[in-house]
Amino acid sequence: MRYILIILISFPGLIYAQSIVNSKHNLSVNGPGGMRSAGETEICLFCHTPHTALPRSPLWNRRDPGVTYTLYKSATMQALPGQPDGTSMLCLSCHDGTIALGSILSRSTVTGFQSGITTMPAGLSNLSTNLRNDHPVSFLYNSALAMADGQLKPPAAILPPVSLENEKVQCTSCHDPHKNLFPDFLVADTRNSELCNACHQRNNWNSGSHNTSVKTWNGVLPDPWPYTPPSSTTVAQNGCESCHNPHNSGSDVMLLKYQKEENNCLDCHNGNVAAKNVAAEFSKSYRHNIGNYLNIHTPNEPAQLFTNMHVECVDCHDPHASNSRSAVAPYAGGALAGVKGVSQTGTAVSSATFAYEVCYRCHAGSAGSPPAATSRVIVQNNLLLEFAPANPSYHPVAAIGKNTSVPSLISPWSASSIMYCTSCHAGDGSGTSPAPHGSIYPHILKLQNITNDGGTVSTGTTESASAYALCYSCHSRASILSDVSFKQHNKHLQSEVRAPCNTCHDPHGISMTQGNISNNSNLINFRTGVVTPSSGGQLKFVGMGSNHGQCYLTCHGKNHNPLSY
Amino acid sequence: MKKLNLLLTTIALIMFAQIINAQILNSAHDFKSKTWNTTGEICKVCHIPHNGAMLAEAPLWNHALSAVTNYSTYASSTLNATVGQPDGNSKLCLSCHDGSVALNNFGGNGVVTPNVYATGAALLGTDLSNDHPVSFTYNDALATTDGSLFPPSTALSGLGGTINADMLFAGKMQCASCHDVHNGATGTPAHLLIKSNAASALCLTCHDK
C-alpha cells in the first residue's frame, strides 16, 4: 500500500519545483496568483499555441497590441531603443494593459477571468504604454555600445542566466516568464546588485559605500526600499535598487525611485539608515538648497557650470563611487570620490583630486553664484582667483599660506597647514565629517562669525568668544587679544573700536590680479562703507615687515593718515 | 483501508478511461459519412488491408502522399533542436493537413468533383513555421542543451512509460507524439491528443517550464 502511494505522489507532472505552474503566470483557473481565468485549466495557451501561432516564434498565441509606446530616454544613454520588438512585444501583450488577459488567438471568444479582471489591473505589473519610466528594451547591445557607454560590459562578457536576444536587450534578458526563481520572474538575484551587474559596470562601484555598506533601516517610515524583497536588509543587499527602480520608476530620468532628485538620497540619509542625518542639515536656514531645483541637473553637464545653475546632492557626490575613505587637505575624501571639478588652473577635471575643485564647479566665476558677502576695496567672488597660490594672501585652501608667522594658530594648525573649504563652511555641529549641507549660520559657516559693523563704536560688535567663534576655532582668542601678532588687535576688537574681524580681513584671499603683497598681505582688504578714506584721501594698508605696517583710513571715528605700528 | 482501496481503484479507472474509450468511431477522423468518401468506410481513407504502400511508418498506407519537400519549418533564436523537413509518420498526417493533396485522394475512392481539401484549423499548409516543430531528434543531450526540456529516456510520459518509449518515434518528435489519430471519440481528449491537456499536462510532459 505504501509504495502505491509513493508511486502516485511521484506521478510526473504533479510536482513542480520551480515551474510556471506554481507561478503567477499560471493564469488558469487553478493558478496561484491573483489573476485567474474563470474556467480554463490550460496554462500554456494563454501565451502559446502549437499550431497557427503569431508571431511564429515562440509559437505565440496573443495579439500584437499595435500601439506606439513612449520610450525611455536619457541624456547619457548611448543605446538607441526603438519601439519594442522581439519577445518584449509578447510580454507587453499583457503588461501594457491594453489587451484582455484572456484574449487568445486560438480561441474565438475572450476567456473570462475571475473578479471581473479583463486587462492587467493597475499596479507595478502594468507598465502601460508609457515606457518612459522603464528600463529600455529592444536596443542593440553590441561592442560599439559598450565602448561608447564606457560603463557597460562587452556583450561577450554577459553570461547566463542573463542573455541577449539577437544581440538585443529584451524583457527576457532579465526575466524568465516561466520560472519565478527570483521575485518578479527575474533570472538572477537582484540582491547585491547581482542582476544589474551582469551588464552594468559602474566606475568605482565595487569600492563604493552604496555597494558595501551593511547599514540597515531602523524601521522609521518612509521605507527606503519599497520595491525590494524583505530579505534585502542592508544597503549593499538592496544595491542598485536602493535608488533605482527599473519599472514604473518615480522619475523620468535615471529610473530613480523619486522624481525629486534629493528624495532618492534623503530617505536613507535622514538618520533612518545612514549614520548622519543630512536631511536635517538641509532644513536649516543657510544651505545648499537642493530642494529648489528639479530636472535641471544632468550627469553629462559641464564640470564648471555657467548656465542652468543649480545644486543637487549628485553635484558634489557620486552615489556610485562615494566611499568612506578619509583624506588630508587638500585631497578629496571618499565622500567626493568620482565627482567632477575645476582645478586651480581653471581646467575641468572628470574626477576631483582636491576637495576645493568641487566647490569651484559653481563658485569660480559662475554667473548666479553668491556675490561677495562684504563690499570691499577689492571686489572678488571668484574662489579660484581668491585662493590662487600666487596671491599676496589667502586662507591656505589650495596651497600653504603666504604668512610664515601666524602665532595665533591653535595646534595642530600651523603656518604650513592646508585647510578645506569645509574647515569653515560646514553644518553647525557637523563635527568630524564637516560638509556644507546646511547651517544655522549665514554662508553655511560651521560656527558663528558676526560681521555687524555700522561704522561707529556704538554700531560695532561686542567681542566675545562666541561672536567670532569661527575665527577663534583656529586662531587663539587669547593670542589675538594679547596682541601677539598685530599690536592693536585688542584695541580694535574690544570696547574702544568694536570692529569685527571681517571689517579688516577678507577671509578667502586677495587676488594677485587686483592686490599686491605690499597692500594686501595678512588678508587685509577693508570693508568699504565702514572703512573710509583718511583725511588725506587714501584708503589702504601698507605692510612694513612682520607685525609692522601703516594704515591710511577713517574708521569708527578715527582718522589714520597714516597710523604706523 | 477499504475506502482507500476503492479510491485507488477509482483513480486507476479514470486514468485508463481514455484507453478504454480509444476508438476512431465518431471521432474527427471518422469520415464514413463525408460526401467526398464514396466508400462509406472509415479505415480506408488511410489504410487498405491488401497491396498498401510499403512505407516504413505507414502501415498498409492507402492515401496519396504529399509531394511537398520544401515546408517552412519552425525557427527560433532559442531553439536548440535541429528541425529538418517533416519525415516519419508526420508525412502521413501532412498528406491531408498540408492542403496539397485532396482528402478524397485515396485508393478505391470514387471520382469526387471538385476535390475536397482540409480547411480551417485542420489546414496547416506548407508553412509550418507557425507550428510546433516536428521530425527532430529529442534526446537527453537536447534536453541538457535546452535546459527546459525533460530528458526523454528517463522522464515519464504519464502514459505508462518514458517519453522516449511512449511519445517518440525512432527518437524523434512527430505529430503522433501529441496526437493519437485513432483516438478521438466522445470523452477522449480534444484535438485527438494522446492525453488530456488539462492544466497543460501534455505540454508540460516534455517542457520543464
Side-chain angles (χ1 to χ4, degrees):
Chain A
M1 178 51 75
R2 188 173 298 149
Y3 71 85
I4 293 175
L5 281 172
I6 290 167
I7 288 169
L8 278 174
I9 288 166
S10 56
F11 193 74
L14 290 180
I15 296 167
Y16 303 100
Q18 280 298 340
S19 162
I20 189 165
V21 176
N22 51 20
S23 79
K24 284 187 288 187
H25 278 164
N26 177 354
L27 304 182
S28 80
V29 64
N30 298 314
M35 280 161 255
R36 286 181 290 171
S37 73
E40 178 57 59
T41 73
E42 287 192 38
I43 301 161
C44 308
L45 101 158
F46 286 98
C47 295
H48 301 287
T49 178
H51 295 294
T52 323
L54 187 72
R56 292 160 156 73
S57 168
L59 293 174
W60 202 243
N61 201 22
R62 302 185 61 80
R63 260 165 264 282
D64 182 335
V67 296
T68 302
Y69 296 91
T70 306
L71 303 177
Y72 178 78
K73 55 184 176 183
S74 109
T76 54
M77 183 170 65
Q78 306 291 328
L80 301 167
Q83 284 293 311
D85 58 17
T87 50
S88 296
M89 273 316 297
L90 312 181
C91 307
L92 287 167
S93 67
C94 278
H95 286 279
D96 75 357
T98 66
I99 296 181
L101 302 178
S103 179
I104 302 163
L105 289 180
S106 63
R107 294 282 159 89
S108 55
T109 56
V110 173
T111 303
F113 269 63
Q114 297 178 26
S115 310
I117 290 173
T118 53
T119 55
M120 180 74 73
L124 287 174
S125 296
N126 185 340
L127 304 182
S128 83
T129 59
N130 177 15
L131 306 181
R132 183 82 175 81
N133 51 9
D134 296 288
H135 190 288
V137 292
S138 304
F139 61 87
L140 200 58
Y141 186 155
N142 54 19
S143 304
L145 173 68
M147 290 277 282
D149 184 278
Q151 298 188 76
L152 285 173
K153 286 184 180 172
I158 296 175
L159 303 174
V162 176
S163 61
L164 300 176
E165 176 187 308
N166 297 326
E167 284 193 275
K168 283 185 173 182
V169 170
Q170 301 288 11
C171 302
T172 48
S173 296
C174 297
H175 298 281
D176 180 347
H178 297 113
K179 284 191 166 59
N180 203 10
L181 279 175
F182 299 95
D184 303 319
F185 294 89
L186 291 169
V187 296
D189 204 338
T190 54
R191 284 178 300 177
N192 300 301
S193 309
E194 191 180 312
L195 177 61
C196 307
N197 285 341
C199 296
H200 292 280
Q201 47 180 12
R202 299 292 311 196
N203 294 340
N204 306 310
W205 171 246
N206 288 346
S207 56
S209 289
H210 287 139
N211 182 43
T212 58
S213 170
V214 293
K215 286 278 193 324
T216 56
W217 176 39
N218 67 2
V220 176
L221 294 172
D223 183 350
W225 302 309
Y227 306 113
T228 54
S231 57
S232 294
T233 58
T234 68
V235 175
Q237 284 173 341
N238 281 282
C240 303
E241 289 179 288
S242 289
C243 304
H244 297 283
N245 184 21
H247 289 296
N248 288 331
S249 62
S251 74
D252 279 346
V253 289
M254 304 300 144
L255 300 173
L256 293 164
K257 286 185 296 186
Y258 303 110
Q259 183 78 17
K260 281 188 71 65
E261 296 91 341
E262 63 277 9
N263 288 355
N264 295 292
C265 307
L266 297 180
D267 61 348
C268 280
H269 292 274
N270 57 358
N272 291 346
V273 179
K276 189 174 175 183
N277 186 346
V278 175
E281 296 189 344
F282 281 114
S283 67
K284 292 177 178 174
S285 300
Y286 303 95
R287 60 190 181 238
H288 275 103
N289 198 353
I290 53 174
N292 216 22
Y293 309 95
L294 185 65
N295 294 345
I296 298 176
H297 172 88
T298 57
N300 57 346
E301 67 192 14
Q304 189 165 14
L305 292 176
F306 291 106
T307 58
N308 295 325
M309 298 310 293
H310 66 272
V311 62
E312 296 289 358
C313 304
V314 289
D315 283 302
C316 301
H317 303 289
D318 178 348
H320 299 114
S322 274
N323 60 61
S324 57
R325 181 171 47 80
S326 60
V328 175
Y331 291 95
L336 301 178
V339 177
K340 290 173 195 169
V342 177
S343 76
Q344 185 60 52
T345 57
T347 309
V349 293
S350 59
S351 181
T353 303
F354 304 113
Y356 59 80
E357 294 175 335
V358 178
C359 307
Y360 288 0
R361 292 194 65 198
C362 294
H363 295 280
S366 298
S369 61
T374 304
S375 57
R376 296 188 186 278
V377 174
I378 289 173
V379 177
Q380 187 56 259
N381 75 332
N382 181 333
L383 294 186
L384 193 151
L385 295 177
E386 290 186 295
F387 288 118
N391 287 349
S393 60
Y394 50 84
H395 258 106
V397 166
I400 292 170
K402 279 287 159 64
N403 188 352
T404 57
S405 172
V406 190
S408 64
L409 284 175
I410 300 167
S411 178
W413 296 110
S414 74
S416 58
S417 294
I418 291 183
M419 63 193 290
Y420 285 121
C421 298
T422 54
S423 299
C424 296
H425 296 284
D428 58 293
S430 59
T432 54
S433 55
H437 298 144
S439 174
I440 61 171
Y441 300 116
H443 315 300
I444 319 178
L445 291 170
K446 68 176 183 180
L447 293 164
Q448 181 164 255
N449 180 37
I450 296 176
T451 60
N452 295 338
D453 192 349
T456 65
V457 175
S458 62
T459 57
T461 295
T462 301
E463 193 278 338
S464 71
S466 70
Y468 310 125
L470 179 71
C471 304
Y472 288 158
S473 68
C474 295
H475 297 279
S476 160
R477 181 181 180 224
S479 168
I480 299 287
L481 294 181
S482 58
D483 296 336
V484 176
S485 51
F486 174 43
K487 302 302 178 201
Q488 309 297 332
H489 260 148
N490 190 310
K491 182 186 287 182
H492 282 82
L493 286 161
Q494 296 208 313
S495 58
E496 195 172 330
V497 179
R498 300 180 73 232
C501 309
N502 182 63
T503 295
C504 296
H505 294 292
D506 182 349
H508 289 160
I510 295 90
S511 170
M512 61 171 288
T513 65
Q514 298 160 296
N516 59 67
I517 189 65
S518 173
N519 301 130
N520 302 104
S521 66
N522 305 82
L523 296 173
I524 298 297
N525 183 15
F526 297 116
R527 177 175 178 177
T528 54
V530 173
V531 185
T532 55
S534 67
S535 55
Q538 295 195 73
L539 172 52
K540 67 178 181 183
F541 158 77
V542 181
M544 312 277 286
S546 184
N547 301 327
H548 295 286
Q550 294 177 319
C551 283
Y552 297 75
L553 56 81
T554 303
C555 185
H556 287 228
K558 304 281 188 187
N559 176 27
H560 300 337
N561 191 33
L563 191 76
S564 303
Y565 63 94
Chain B
M1 200 48 144
K2 271 187 179 172
K3 277 185 179 172
L4 187 56
N5 274 332
L6 185 63
L7 177 67
L8 290 171
T9 309
T10 309
I11 290 171
L13 278 173
I14 291 168
M15 284 169 62
F16 291 108
Q18 62 190 64
I19 296 166
I20 293 164
N21 288 334
Q23 58 182 10
I24 195 166
L25 185 68
N26 296 329
S27 78
H29 278 163
D30 175 357
F31 301 121
K32 64 179 184 295
S33 305
K34 298 293 182 186
T35 54
W36 52 264
N37 180 2
T38 64
T39 68
E41 295 185 35
I42 298 173
C43 306
K44 200 169 185 178
V45 176
C46 295
H47 303 287
I48 193 162
H50 300 291
N51 303 320
M54 296 298 289
L55 301 176
E57 296 208 43
L60 301 169
W61 194 245
N62 192 37
H63 198 276
L65 284 170
S66 170
V68 175
T69 55
N70 58 344
Y71 294 95
S72 299
T73 56
Y74 180 76
S76 147
S77 61
T78 56
L79 181 74
N80 300 115
T82 305
V83 181
Q85 286 294 306
D87 61 15
N89 59 36
S90 296
K91 285 286 287 178
L92 312 182
C93 308
L94 288 167
S95 69
C96 283
H97 289 282
D98 76 359
S100 72
V101 180
L103 300 176
N104 49 283
N105 189 356
F106 61 90
N109 199 16
V111 176
V112 176
T113 308
N115 285 325
V116 177
Y117 296 90
T119 57
L123 175 62
L124 301 181
T126 60
D127 179 2
L128 304 181
S129 63
N130 57 357
D131 297 295
H132 193 289
V134 292
S135 304
F136 62 87
T137 297
Y138 173 18
N139 54 21
D140 292 358
L142 176 67
T144 302
T145 309
D146 183 276
S148 292
L149 288 171
F150 290 111
S153 76
T154 52
L156 300 179
S157 70
L159 297 167
T162 63
I163 292 171
N164 188 54
D166 296 342
M167 300 173 73
L168 303 184
F169 300 87
K172 283 187 171 181
M173 164 144 195
Q174 302 288 8
C175 301
S177 298
C178 295
H179 298 286
D180 180 349
V181 291
H182 299 117
N183 177 20
T186 306
T188 58
H191 309 300
L192 300 158
L193 295 176
I194 58 166
K195 69 178 197 182
S196 168
N197 199 31
S200 297
L202 178 57
C203 308
L204 297 173
T205 303
C206 298
H207 290 281
D208 182 12
K209 291 287 190 185

